[in-house]
Every structure is written in structure tokens, then in C-alpha cells.
Amino acid sequence: MPNTSARPKHGRRSRRRRRGDPARDELVSSSLQSAQQCLLNQDYGTAFVHYLLVLNLAPEFKDFAQESFRFTLFKWAEELDSVGRIQELFDCYEQALEILPADEVILNSMGEHLFRMGFRDEAAGYFHKALKLRPEFPEARENFYRVANWLVERWHFLMLNDHGRNQKYQQAIQKAVQSGCSTVLDIGTGTGILGMCAKQAGAAEVYACELSKTMYELACEVVTANGMEGDIKILHKKSLEMEVPADIPHRVSLVVTETVDAGLFGEGIIESLIHAWHHLLLPPKSNENKFGEQSATGRVIPAGATVFALAVECPEIRRHHRLCATQVGGLSMAACGEIHSPVSCSSEPEESVEPYTTERLSRLPGGYTALTEPFTALTIDFNNVQELEGLSSREVQRIQLPVTQQGELDALAVWFQLHLDEESSLSTGPQEDTCWEQAIYPVHSAKCFMLKPGDELIVEVSCRDAYLGLSGVAVLRGGRQIHLDKSRSWPRSENLVPNPNPNPEAELCTALACLQTNQKQSKDSCLLECSEMALLNNTDYHQSFRSALDKLISQLKGKLHSGEGAALNTDPAGSTPASDLLYVLDVSEGFSLLSLLAASQGGVKVYSSVEKSKQQEVLKRLAHSNGISEQLLEFWLNRVEDEQGMLQRPSGEKLWSAIILDCVETCGLIRQKLMEKASLARCLLEEGGHIFPERIVVHGMLVESDTLLRESAVQGLEPTLGFNISPFINQFTVPVHVFLDFSTLECRHLSEAAELFVLNLMDANSNYINREVKIKVTSAGRITAVPFWYHIYLDQEISVSSLGQNSHWKQAAVVLPEPLQVQAGDWVCLNVKLHKSTISILAHIENTHVVMD
Ligand code: 44T
């Protein structure tokens, strides 16, 4: 392969070329021929260099050679990618785009490479350009939607639509500016709204910083559109990297910021404010200068926060964080060992541990029960740098709380009040009608531990790595203490609660639990993502698979032995002769028990795609304890190096009896490349073999939901205090919303559920979806969205729904570009398209007389 660094220097030469130059013509024609020849020989690198030369010298060939040039580029880029020559790959794209700057296919492809390399911001720029050039370019559109979610997280829409929050910030800023804070820095400006409030309030100098490139660019556009471009200096920087005078000429008298997440500290506000006090802010108002010169001091909005917590029982949280089922699809889970979600603030350094998740408690299906009164876990003064600095070295604090209600302890829920100033505050509590979610600290190992009124719950509050940590560590009952979180080592100063009535049995149990846990437990514990945990707890799903697999396997075994008169050997210990074995492949993503369900019938060799070694250990332990021979369980990914080899046959002469495909993502979308995988799987099945699932029926409903609208786009000028923000941020609106819980989504149903389309995984035909579906409106309203979900048919009779109460799947919804006003009795025509794995839906009211037939 040629080295592209030996490429001709083009650019200038093309501009200087003269028409009718015979030497040039000859060079062009011979290079073109060479390019074509190299292309035929699949020597893409050389072909690419020749094409570059041709198109630089003779731009009139652009139309003629465009297709082949693109093809060559993509092939050559593929090769460079596969051998890790990434810089050269991007050089080639840049050269190609110098020649064809408006080629949307090349732009889109460049974006794809960037995205894969993790350059999401840059990738977004290319997808955006490609889309501007051809708005109907489906690949670029799909790619853009994918990055839009990364670049501009959905909560930006919620926050900007939260008029109450915006107004409170505006008033607090106005008051501060009017009382003399004339120089302002907005840390984490987002779209620039707080900075604009400061300017509007009359601040003499306003600075703003934003670490995300996309948000920074957006803020610049917004500020310009609101006529403040000369008035607010925006920096694309993390505040921690800013200094005086390089970035701002002098220290400011006011910092405004809303860099807080549901757990308050997750966006690094403590570190940012410590840095700001040391480097960017005027000194705080101290007792000595309280009555002195106002403008010489600095302050922060918000001035501080109070963090509240509450112990809750919540089955929905429970099933996402710990194993609740004892039997799954007929398998006993007794031997599986410690399994829980990676969400934990335990001190054990486990991989990918995050301290909390977030949920809107009021929207949790099945609700929650408060087991204690809300209590204050922490207060913090943002205007006191010593206090901020002391936070991470603060002793772990223990709080003892009376239990007020009987229930299982599933989690501690956390929210906070943000004190903007002395008078005004915002609350992120579960009862408030705000955009905020609460932070959830799940309790892992108190399996089925019932709290009772009269108990005292001991909660530890810590501040580690600038995160707030909370855990329920023990319960005091009848003078005894019962440890809850087994994986934590109890501190030495343990005897702080006297034990007046020692119970030797309980003592022994506690001692045993500690012995078992301190070193060994954390090593053996297996972490599963919340969605994998919920899947494992989804007993209906496993039972359905068990029945469908059992049915298929007995059918195939019947066939195998029919006519032979041989006795069926269904001994799960694996004494079936190899030639009689059936082969099942489970290509589910992440942790899956399905291979074991297939193996438990005996006479079946199963291949699991579980990758992580701890998860493989769990499967092996479960196989062993359920009487399945270890020889009948193999891990496919230990055998195949690359993913392309994933769907192959078990051995030369064998084909698969069943292939289990994972078809729906937890977020509610169809998995990418599902249909490609299904076609491959079809070729690898033995006669009578089966793909699970065989068919997916997509259902949807017409709904009116303002909540979905608020999450998808900024609604006009009013919520954003009259500032013109919506046209800019709404460029990042995506039409498909994911991770919805349809059962608790605030919405009005305007129709019955209807079938949108069917994907048949066992049959290649009929899967090109572009259909019209007519749905009758049952109540008048504005259709704003079409939520959709799946009925997943394992075989003709057995199906699982992605909507049910125990589902580990969430739902998705298409939000219509414009709400559609309808009356009861109207017929709505939905134009439903599936492109790759992306569903798009357009809706219009059907002309009544057409519908009659
Ligand atoms: N999400 C809340 C967290 N930044 C809000 O780049 C509430 C989540 C939430 N810039 C549902 C609802 C809600 N220097 O654009 C971001 C971020 C930027 C900084 C410069 C720094 N030191 C930082 C730190 C962060 O600030 C912006 C806002 S962070 C707000 C987080 C609606 N789910």
C-alpha cells in the first residue's frame, strides 16, 4: 500500500492550472486510468492518491468521478482504520473535503469516524453540515439524533422550560447586581441565560464559562441573538482552568452558577467554588468589612444548600439494584453469590461504581413508601471557603432516625434546597413541581430486611471525592444493632451504641456476616447494570423463554430420535453422545441466563455470550448448582476474537437449533443491526431450528403529553424570561424520546393501542417498513406524541411485552414536530417508517370519506 504522506501537494496547483495544457491533460488522463486500475485491483491507497491528483488538476471531473472517489476513500479509510492509522485516515478525509467540501456523504462518514473515536462534539458538526446540505439524508439524520442526545442533554430543555426556577434565579441576580455586585461570572453558563440576566440587571461586566464545546457555541449564538455579544465575554473553558488576568481582567464580585446535579455535588460545584474563591472572586464579606466597601467583596449565588434524605421502600428501585427472585425460569438462584447493581457508595474500590442514580420519585411505577420522616443530611455554605475545603476531610457523620412506617428498606432518597440568597430558595424535593429528579442511594444487601416503627435507623453521611455519600448502616431494635450493609467494614469505634441486652445468637450472626464479607465478599460479588438486574428479576420473561425453549428442544429431540427407536437421553449431566447434542447460541447483550435455561433440559450444548469473567463465574456456579454439566456450557466470546465471528456455526458439520437474539434496548428502541443479525442467524439454523424471538409486533398509541413536549423543546419565549433561546437549543431537538415509563407518564390517551408494524425475524420478506396505519381517535385533544412498545413473540403462542409491570425495558415515543388537534371519532393516519433501527412517524388527520371503506 502506498503511503498517503507521499501525496501530491494540491490546493495551489489547481488554482494556477491553465486550460488547454496538453501536459496537464495527459497527466490527468493517465492518473484517472491508474486510479481506475488500482480500484479494480483493490489497491485503494494508490487509487485514492491518483484520484486526488485528478480532481485537483481537473475539477471538471468532479461529477464524473465523485462516486468512485467516495468509494475509494471509504475503502481506504476502512483499511487505515483496521490497522490503527487514524491520523492518516483523518488526513484523507480532510483532503477529500478540500476537493468536495459540500459532499454530504463524505461529511457524514467523517462524522461517523469521529464519533467512533469518541470525538462527539466534532462528529456532531459534520452530521449537522451534512444535514444542512441534504435535510432528507436519513443516515445523517439518524447520526445527528444520536449525538444530539450526548451533546445537549435533555435536562437542558427541562431546566429552560422551568419558568419558576428561571425567575427565582433572575430575581436573586437582579437583587445582587442592584446591591452593588457589578462584575459577574457565570460558571457553567449552558445557553447563557444567567449571564444574560446579570447583564439585563445592569452589571457592568459579565463573564461566562462553559466546558462543553457545543454548549459554548450555543451560548455565543444565543447571546448574539439577544443583542449582548459585546456585553458578555464567553469562554470555552472549565472554570478551574481560568485565571486573572489571562481570562478575566480582575476578580469579580458575584459568581452565579447552577452546576449542580440531583446529588448536588456531582457537577463538581465544591471544587469549582473553592477554586473560584481562591482565584476568581473578590474576598468574601467578613465580619470586619461587613459594613465597609460592598463592591470590594465577592459572593456566590446560590449562597448555600440544605440536603435532605428519606428512607424508602420501593419495589421499583429494589428490582433494579438487587436480586429479588429465588427461582428464575426454573433455576434456583441460591448459589449465585452476591449480585447487585454498581450503584453504591460503599468504600470498596469496585469497578464502575457510581454513588447514586437519579429518579423522579413521583413518577416511579408502583410508588414508594416513606419509612422515616425526611431528615437533614447536610448543610453547606457556598460563601465560606473554609467550610467548602473542610467538606472532604469531614468526619463521617452518623444520624440516628426513628422509623415511622413498617417496610423494606430499599433506598435513601436525597434532594436539596438551593438557597439562592437569604430570601429565596429552590427545592428539588419529590413533592415539588419542578424539573428535578432525586438522587437514589440503593441499599444492596439488606435482603428483605423489614424496618418497623420503634426501630432506629442509623445512616452514615460522608463526603468522598467531592460526592455526597449516604448509606443505611444499621438498625437498632430492642437495644440490639443489626448491620445492614455487609460490604462495609464497620469502623473500630463500633461500640458506640451500648448493647444492654446481648443476644448471643444475633451477635453470632452479625459476626458471621462480617467475617464473610470483609475480604471475601467484595471480591466475589458480581456487579450487574441496573437494567441487567431488572432483567434477572423479570421472572415472566425467563418463564416464557423456558417454556418456548423447552417446547422447541423436545420437538427437535423427538425428530432426532424418531424412527431410530433410541431411548431419549435427557440427562442434564451431559451423557448425551456428541452427535445427538442440540446446539443453542445466546447472543443477548450483557448478562443473560437464557443459555442455562436451554441447557437445563439436558442434551443441549449452550453457548453464552456473557463476556465478563465474574459474570461467567456466576453462570458456572448456577450451572453446577442446578445439575447442568459444565461441559455443556461454553462462552462464545472466549472462542471468537472479533464480533463479526459472533454468529457462526458450533462446529464444521453442525448448525444451531436455536439462536437467541437481543432485540430491544433497555431504552425502548429496537437494537441496531437487529435485522442484519437475524438474516445471518437464519442461515445458520438447522432445519426446524428457531430464532428467539421469531417476531416483534410494535404497538403505539396517540397521546397528549405536555411533559414530553417540555422535555423535547423549549416552548417559546415565556419560560426563558423573554430571552430568545428556543430557536438555538431546539436545533438539538430529537424526535424520539427514550427511557420513558409509559405507565407513569403524565399524558392523556387519545386512542386505543394499535399495531404499528411487525418485524419477522424468521422471514426475510415483508420487513421493509413504510406503512400507513389508521387509528381512530377516542377523545378530543392535541396529539403530541406516539409512545411505542413491543410484543415480543418467542414462538406462535408465547410472547413477552416490553410494557408490563416487571419489564426491564422502558418505552420510547415519537414526539410529533407539531401537535395535531383532533376530535373524538376522527381517523388519524400515521406514516410509520423504519430505517435501519430508527422509527419515524408522521401524522395527519385522514379525510373522513376515504376512511369509510
Ligand atoms: N442535570 C440536572 C444536571 N459546567 C444539571 O457543561 C434537572 C438531570 C437534571 N462549565 C433531569 C433533570 C435535571 N466550568 O453545560 C453544563 C456543564 C457546565 C461547567 C465550566 C465548570 N466547572 C463546569 C461544571 C459544569 O455547566 C452546565 C450546567 S451543569 C448543570 C447540571 C433539570 N436530569
Side-chain angles (χ1 to χ4, degrees):
M1 281 298 146
N3 186 339
T4 46
S5 62
R7 63 185 182 253
K9 292 272 170 267
H10 41 82
R12 280 229 171 133
R13 205 194 289 182
S14 63
R15 259 168 261 136
R16 270 200 252 125
R17 81 188 150 69
R18 280 167 288 132
R19 291 210 166 264
D21 176 345
R24 177 203 80 120
D25 291 348
E26 205 180 307
L27 185 57
V28 167
S29 129
S30 71
S31 286
L32 192 56
Q33 267 177 22
S34 307
Q36 287 160 340
Q37 192 52 49
C38 291
L39 196 53
L40 281 177
N41 299 341
Q42 302 186 351
D43 177 1
Y44 302 116
T46 321
F48 182 71
V49 179
H50 282 300
Y51 273 126
L52 275 184
L53 187 66
V54 171
L55 295 176
N56 269 304
L57 288 177
E60 65 273 20
F61 279 107
K62 277 182 191 170
D63 286 345
F64 166 74
Q66 190 165 11
E67 270 299 316
S68 330
F69 178 58
R70 268 186 200 155
F71 179 80
T72 312
L73 168 69
F74 297 157
K75 283 296 197 186
W76 179 224
E78 237 172 60
E79 270 181 45
L80 290 172
D81 194 13
S82 69
V83 293
R85 286 159 67 181
I86 304 303
Q87 186 54 50
E88 286 168 66
L89 182 157
F90 287 125
D91 287 348
C92 289
Y93 269 95
E94 269 162 24
Q95 289 160 2
L97 286 170
E98 256 179 57
I99 297 176
L100 297 167
D103 186 311
E104 74 280 8
V105 184
I106 297 180
L107 286 164
N108 178 57
S109 171
M110 170 82 163
E112 286 175 350
H113 282 289
L114 286 165
F115 186 79
R116 251 184 283 143
M117 298 279 128
F119 301 107
R120 303 209 166 91
D121 256 343
E122 289 79 0
Y126 283 91
F127 298 144
H128 202 213
K129 264 191 213 160
L131 261 186
K132 279 206 165 143
L133 287 163
R134 175 149 58 103
E136 287 310 307
F137 184 11
E139 276 81 6
R141 188 155 288 278
E142 196 175 328
N143 284 331
F144 182 70
Y145 290 155
R146 193 142 46 106
V147 285
N149 272 322
W150 280 98
L151 296 177
V152 178
E153 292 181 65
R154 301 299 98 188
W155 50 258
H156 280 288
F157 296 101
L158 281 171
M159 287 177 87
L160 288 165
N161 279 321
D162 187 346
H163 182 249
R165 163 236 175 217
N166 297 337
Q167 206 175 27
K168 281 194 177 161
Y169 256 99
Q170 183 181 42
Q171 282 163 358
I173 292 169
Q174 238 165 28
K175 234 168 63 185
V177 170
Q178 279 158 14
S179 71
C181 294
S182 59
T183 52
V184 183
L185 168 64
D186 175 359
I187 295 182
T189 194
T191 52
I193 188 167
L194 300 185
M196 292 194 294
C197 285
K199 191 70 226 172
Q200 202 181 44
E205 292 168 33
V206 180
Y207 308 94
C209 63
E210 172 54 56
L211 60 87
S212 141
K213 182 161 178 261
T214 312
M215 291 313 295
Y216 158 77
E217 284 168 359
L218 209 59
C220 294
E221 281 187 83
V222 167
V223 163
T224 305
N226 288 276
M228 297 189 190
E229 69 268 47
D231 300 330
I232 303 180
K233 183 180 171 195
I234 311 177
L235 297 143
H236 174 212
K237 270 207 166 162
K238 189 167 187 171
S239 67
L240 296 167
E241 286 153 15
M242 285 173 63
E243 51 190 65
V244 173
D247 298 299
I248 54 176
H250 39 245
R251 287 172 177 255
V252 294
S253 50
L254 178 66
V255 157
V256 295
T257 189
E258 201 183 13
T259 48
V260 288
D261 70 338
L264 186 62
F265 299 151
E267 288 282 339
I269 190 168
I270 301 297
E271 209 189 352
S272 309
L273 289 182
I274 292 173
H275 170 268
W277 278 117
H278 286 306
H279 303 281
L280 307 170
L281 262 167
L282 287 166
K285 192 156 53 167
S286 65
N287 283 335
E288 297 94 72
N289 73 4
K290 219 168 201 163
F291 307 102
E293 178 72 6
Q294 268 284 327
S295 59
T297 64
R299 54 176 280 206
V300 178
I301 292 180
T306 309
V307 180
F308 300 97
L310 172 71
V312 295
E313 173 181 86
C314 177
E316 181 67 7
I317 294 176
R318 186 186 315 150
R319 75 189 184 94
H320 281 88
H321 295 280
R322 62 175 202 248
L323 183 66
C324 310
T326 50
Q327 284 261 329
V328 178
L331 293 181
S332 158
M333 299 300 286
C336 71
E338 172 84 16
I339 297 186
H340 58 77
S341 78
V343 185
S344 157
C345 59
S346 87
S347 48
E348 303 292 339
E350 288 167 305
E351 40 174 324
S352 73
V353 170
E354 44 188 291
Y356 51 82
T357 52
T358 65
E359 294 284 356
R360 202 155 306 168
L361 283 179
S362 62
R363 276 202 209 166
L364 277 172
Y368 66 96
T369 310
L371 305 180
T372 62
E373 294 293 327
F375 58 96
T376 302
L378 183 100
T379 57
I380 179 80
D381 179 354
F382 293 141
N383 282 312
N384 183 338
V385 69
Q386 287 78 26
E387 197 178 313
L388 293 170
E389 284 171 329
L391 210 54
S392 47
S393 52
R394 228 190 232 192
E395 290 252 313
V396 174
Q397 192 199 349
R398 282 203 179 164
I399 301 175
Q400 196 169 316
L401 299 159
V403 172
T404 51
Q405 174 74 42
Q406 170 159 329
E408 220 169 297
L409 178 63
D410 291 317
L412 293 159
V414 166
W415 66 92
F416 55 87
Q417 226 179 343
L418 211 49
H419 308 296
L420 298 185
D421 54 25
E422 299 81 9
E423 289 161 16
S424 160
S425 65
L426 290 170
S427 167
T428 68
Q431 323 286 2
E432 310 287 327
D433 178 27
T434 71
C435 58
W436 283 92
E437 296 181 334
Q438 289 76 50
I440 306 292
Y441 293 80
V443 172
H444 289 301
S445 28
K447 245 180 218 164
C448 304
F449 189 84
M450 273 289 184
L451 293 183
K452 292 186 194 143
D455 289 348
E456 298 271 326
L457 177 65
I458 300 178
V459 173
E460 278 189 1
V461 181
S462 61
C463 246
R464 226 177 295 120
D465 305 329
Y467 272 118
L468 181 66
L470 250 95
S471 51
V473 287
V475 176
L476 296 182
R477 177 178 293 171
R480 288 196 300 275
Q481 53 178 288
I482 306 157
H483 295 230
L484 293 176
D485 193 345
K486 289 191 287 172
S487 66
R488 294 173 61 87
S489 35
W490 195 250
R492 295 281 165 267
S493 57
E494 148 80 281
N495 301 331
L496 83 171
V497 188
N499 194 344
N501 184 13
N503 170 340
E505 199 187 327
E507 294 271 286
L508 192 63
C509 292
T510 312
L512 268 178
C514 287
L515 263 184
Q516 183 200 9
T517 54
N518 286 353
Q519 299 94 28
K520 202 171 141 279
Q521 196 67 37
S522 71
K523 251 198 268 147
D524 280 354
S525 72
C526 169
L527 299 184
L528 294 186
E529 291 304 321
C530 302
S531 56
E532 294 174 312
M533 217 52 253
L535 167 62
L536 197 55
N537 283 319
N538 188 347
T539 43
D540 295 345
Y541 174 85
H542 288 95
Q543 200 46 56
S544 304
F545 260 98
R546 177 66 193 255
S547 312
L549 280 162
D550 282 0
K551 210 156 70 171
L552 174 80
I553 290 166
S554 16
Q555 263 168 27
L556 291 177
K557 278 186 186 166
K559 241 177 50 185
L560 197 65
H561 294 277
S562 65
E564 290 174 20
L568 266 189
N569 189 342
T570 54
D571 171 12
S575 42
T576 313
S579 58
D580 280 5
L581 282 175
L582 298 178
Y583 287 83
V584 172
L585 173 64
D586 175 14
V587 277
S588 301
E589 308 272 329
F591 186 73
S592 165
L593 274 190
L594 299 179
S595 59
L596 288 190
L597 300 196
S600 53
Q601 264 233 355
V604 181
K605 173 131 187 174
V606 294
Y607 289 79
S608 158
S609 311
V610 166
E611 248 178 303
K612 296 187 177 144
S613 59
K614 278 196 178 168
Q615 300 184 358
Q616 294 187 350
E617 291 306 320
V618 172
L619 282 190
K620 283 190 214 161
R621 274 204 296 275
L622 286 175
H624 184 73
S625 67
N626 283 280
I628 298 164
S629 158
E630 258 198 46
Q631 284 135 31
L632 292 182
L633 169 65
E634 279 218 39
F635 294 98
W636 188 251
L637 294 173
N638 296 352
R639 296 170 30 129
V640 281
E641 290 290 274
D642 64 332
E643 235 186 273
Q644 269 123 43
M646 181 100 112
L647 288 170
Q648 284 174 353
R649 50 181 63 201
S651 64
E653 69 289 354
K654 275 284 181 184
L655 286 168
W656 298 102
S657 309
I659 296 178
I660 301 170
L661 292 179
D662 209 344
C663 45
V664 177
E665 288 183 50
T666 316
C667 69
L669 297 179
I670 293 174
R671 276 201 191 277
Q672 289 191 315
K673 305 229 162 99
L674 173 68
M675 295 320 280
E676 284 96 319
K677 281 191 187 164
S679 347
L680 202 51
R682 280 194 298 273
C683 304
L684 299 166
L685 285 185
E686 66 167 291
E687 208 192 316
H690 206 88
I691 296 176
F692 290 110
E694 64 169 39
R695 191 157 49 96
I696 304 170
V697 183
V698 186
H699 290 256
M701 187 188 276
L702 309 177
V703 304
E704 172 172 331
S705 168
D706 287 334
T707 307
L708 274 182
L709 282 189
R710 275 197 300 272
E711 283 175 14
S712 74
V714 174
Q715 309 290 310
L717 281 174
E718 196 254 344
T720 51
L721 312 167
F723 292 119
N724 180 15
I725 299 181
S726 58
F728 306 96
I729 186 129
N730 289 353
Q731 290 181 59
F732 291 87
T733 290
V734 297
V736 180
H737 280 238
V738 291
F739 281 113
L740 298 177
D741 201 301
F742 189 35
S743 69
T744 55
L745 175 72
E746 289 165 281
C747 70
R748 289 183 48 230
H749 295 188
L750 303 183
S751 77
E752 304 278 324
E755 191 179 301
L756 299 183
F757 63 89
V758 180
L759 281 180
N760 197 331
L761 278 71
M762 292 282 282
D763 175 5
N765 305 317
S766 80
N767 281 331
Y768 296 94
I769 312 297
N770 186 354
R771 353 180 9 206
E772 302 250 293
V773 181
K774 294 190 179 97
I775 303 182
K776 191 170 183 181
V777 174
T778 49
S779 354
R782 285 154 55 244
I783 305 171
T784 58
V786 183
F788 58 90
W789 61 93
Y790 313 95
H791 287 187
I792 300 165
Y793 282 85
L794 305 184
D795 59 24
Q796 285 289 319
E797 294 97 31
I798 302 173
S799 71
V800 284
S801 163
S802 73
L803 190 62
Q805 214 192 355
N806 292 321
S807 166
H808 56 286
W809 290 292
K810 296 282 183 195
Q811 290 80 50
V814 171
V815 177
L816 301 182
E818 290 297 331
L820 188 65
Q821 185 70 50
V822 289
Q823 303 303 325
D826 281 350
W827 283 85
V828 168
C829 181
L830 297 184
N831 178 227
V832 184
K833 274 192 203 156
L834 183 74
H835 182 265
K836 292 195 175 169
S837 299
T838 305
I839 294 177
S840 64
I841 298 179
L842 293 173
H844 63 266
I845 299 179
E846 179 75 28
N847 192 330
T848 32
H849 15 263
V850 178
V851 170
M852 288 301 137
D853 52 57

